[in-house]
Short mmCIF file of all heavy atoms in Angstrom, two decimals:
data_model
loop_
_atom_site.label_atom_id
_atom_site.label_comp_id
_atom_site.label_asym_id
_atom_site.label_seq_id
_atom_site.Cartn_x
_atom_site.Cartn_y
_atom_site.Cartn_z
N SER A 1643 15.48 -6.21 4.66
CA SER A 1643 14.37 -5.24 4.68
C SER A 1643 14.81 -3.85 5.09
O SER A 1643 15.82 -3.68 5.78
CB SER A 1643 13.30 -5.73 5.66
OG SER A 1643 12.81 -7.01 5.27
N ILE A 1644 14.02 -2.87 4.62
CA ILE A 1644 14.18 -1.48 5.03
C ILE A 1644 12.81 -1.01 5.48
O ILE A 1644 11.84 -1.07 4.71
CB ILE A 1644 14.71 -0.61 3.87
CG1 ILE A 1644 16.12 -1.07 3.49
CG2 ILE A 1644 14.69 0.88 4.24
CD1 ILE A 1644 16.68 -0.44 2.23
N LEU A 1645 12.70 -0.62 6.76
CA LEU A 1645 11.42 -0.21 7.31
C LEU A 1645 11.49 1.27 7.69
O LEU A 1645 12.30 1.67 8.54
CB LEU A 1645 11.06 -1.08 8.53
CG LEU A 1645 11.01 -2.59 8.27
CD1 LEU A 1645 10.71 -3.35 9.56
CD2 LEU A 1645 9.99 -2.92 7.19
N LEU A 1646 10.67 2.08 7.02
CA LEU A 1646 10.70 3.53 7.24
C LEU A 1646 9.80 3.90 8.42
O LEU A 1646 8.86 3.17 8.74
CB LEU A 1646 10.24 4.24 5.96
CG LEU A 1646 10.99 3.87 4.68
CD1 LEU A 1646 10.38 4.59 3.48
CD2 LEU A 1646 12.47 4.21 4.80
N ALA A 1647 10.06 5.06 9.01
CA ALA A 1647 9.31 5.47 10.20
C ALA A 1647 8.00 6.16 9.84
O ALA A 1647 7.99 7.10 9.04
CB ALA A 1647 10.17 6.42 11.04
N PRO A 1648 6.88 5.70 10.41
CA PRO A 1648 5.60 6.41 10.25
C PRO A 1648 5.45 7.47 11.34
O PRO A 1648 6.19 7.44 12.34
CB PRO A 1648 4.58 5.29 10.46
CG PRO A 1648 5.25 4.34 11.40
CD PRO A 1648 6.73 4.44 11.18
N THR A 1649 4.48 8.40 11.16
CA THR A 1649 4.27 9.48 12.11
C THR A 1649 2.80 9.57 12.50
O THR A 1649 1.93 9.55 11.63
CB THR A 1649 4.69 10.83 11.47
OG1 THR A 1649 6.04 10.71 11.05
CG2 THR A 1649 4.54 11.98 12.42
N ALA A 1650 2.53 9.68 13.80
CA ALA A 1650 1.15 9.88 14.25
C ALA A 1650 0.75 11.32 13.97
O ALA A 1650 1.52 12.24 14.22
CB ALA A 1650 1.04 9.60 15.75
N VAL A 1651 -0.46 11.49 13.43
CA VAL A 1651 -0.94 12.84 13.08
C VAL A 1651 -2.30 13.06 13.70
O VAL A 1651 -3.19 12.23 13.57
CB VAL A 1651 -1.00 13.02 11.54
CG1 VAL A 1651 -1.75 14.29 11.18
CG2 VAL A 1651 0.40 13.04 10.96
N ASP A 1652 -2.45 14.19 14.38
CA ASP A 1652 -3.76 14.59 14.89
C ASP A 1652 -3.93 16.08 14.62
O ASP A 1652 -3.12 16.69 13.91
CB ASP A 1652 -3.90 14.25 16.39
CG ASP A 1652 -2.84 14.96 17.22
OD1 ASP A 1652 -2.27 15.98 16.73
OD2 ASP A 1652 -2.55 14.51 18.34
N ALA A 1653 -4.97 16.68 15.20
CA ALA A 1653 -5.26 18.08 14.87
C ALA A 1653 -4.10 18.99 15.24
O ALA A 1653 -3.89 20.04 14.63
CB ALA A 1653 -6.54 18.51 15.59
N GLY A 1654 -3.28 18.52 16.20
CA GLY A 1654 -2.18 19.35 16.70
C GLY A 1654 -0.98 19.44 15.78
O GLY A 1654 -0.23 20.42 15.81
N ASN A 1655 -0.77 18.44 14.93
CA ASN A 1655 0.44 18.49 14.09
C ASN A 1655 0.17 18.29 12.59
O ASN A 1655 1.09 18.00 11.83
CB ASN A 1655 1.48 17.47 14.60
CG ASN A 1655 0.98 16.04 14.40
OD1 ASN A 1655 -0.22 15.81 14.17
ND2 ASN A 1655 1.89 15.09 14.47
N LEU A 1656 -1.07 18.45 12.20
CA LEU A 1656 -1.39 18.35 10.76
C LEU A 1656 -0.53 19.30 9.95
O LEU A 1656 0.03 18.94 8.92
CB LEU A 1656 -2.87 18.71 10.54
CG LEU A 1656 -3.92 17.62 10.47
CD1 LEU A 1656 -5.32 18.25 10.45
CD2 LEU A 1656 -3.70 16.73 9.26
N ALA A 1657 -0.42 20.54 10.44
CA ALA A 1657 0.31 21.57 9.67
C ALA A 1657 1.78 21.22 9.52
O ALA A 1657 2.36 21.39 8.45
CB ALA A 1657 0.15 22.91 10.39
N ASP A 1658 2.39 20.66 10.61
CA ASP A 1658 3.84 20.40 10.58
C ASP A 1658 4.19 19.11 9.84
O ASP A 1658 5.38 18.80 9.66
CB ASP A 1658 4.39 20.26 12.01
CG ASP A 1658 3.95 21.42 12.87
OD1 ASP A 1658 3.75 22.50 12.28
OD2 ASP A 1658 3.76 21.23 14.09
N THR A 1659 3.19 18.34 9.49
CA THR A 1659 3.49 17.05 8.86
C THR A 1659 2.94 17.00 7.43
O THR A 1659 3.61 17.43 6.49
CB THR A 1659 2.88 15.91 9.70
OG1 THR A 1659 1.48 16.20 9.92
CG2 THR A 1659 3.59 15.78 11.04
N VAL A 1660 1.70 16.57 7.25
CA VAL A 1660 1.18 16.35 5.89
C VAL A 1660 1.11 17.66 5.09
O VAL A 1660 1.32 17.66 3.87
CB VAL A 1660 -0.21 15.66 5.92
CG1 VAL A 1660 -0.10 14.25 6.44
CG2 VAL A 1660 -1.22 16.44 6.72
N ILE A 1661 0.82 18.77 5.77
CA ILE A 1661 0.75 20.04 5.02
C ILE A 1661 2.15 20.56 4.73
O ILE A 1661 2.47 20.93 3.59
CB ILE A 1661 -0.11 21.07 5.79
CG1 ILE A 1661 -1.56 20.59 5.86
CG2 ILE A 1661 -0.02 22.45 5.13
CD1 ILE A 1661 -2.47 21.45 6.73
N ALA A 1662 3.03 20.51 5.73
CA ALA A 1662 4.40 20.99 5.53
C ALA A 1662 5.09 20.21 4.41
O ALA A 1662 5.83 20.78 3.61
CB ALA A 1662 5.19 20.84 6.84
N ASP A 1663 4.80 18.91 4.31
CA ASP A 1663 5.42 18.09 3.26
C ASP A 1663 4.73 18.24 1.90
O ASP A 1663 5.15 17.62 0.92
CB ASP A 1663 5.35 16.60 3.64
CG ASP A 1663 6.35 16.23 4.72
OD1 ASP A 1663 7.07 17.15 5.19
OD2 ASP A 1663 6.40 15.06 5.12
N GLY A 1664 3.62 18.97 1.88
CA GLY A 1664 2.89 19.10 0.61
C GLY A 1664 2.13 17.84 0.24
O GLY A 1664 1.74 17.66 -0.91
#
Side-chain angles (χ1 to χ4, degrees):
S1643 301
I1644 295 171
L1645 303 178
L1646 306 177
T1649 303
V1651 169
D1652 59 20
N1655 66 344
L1656 265 172
D1658 310 331
T1659 52
V1660 293
I1661 294 173
D1663 285 2

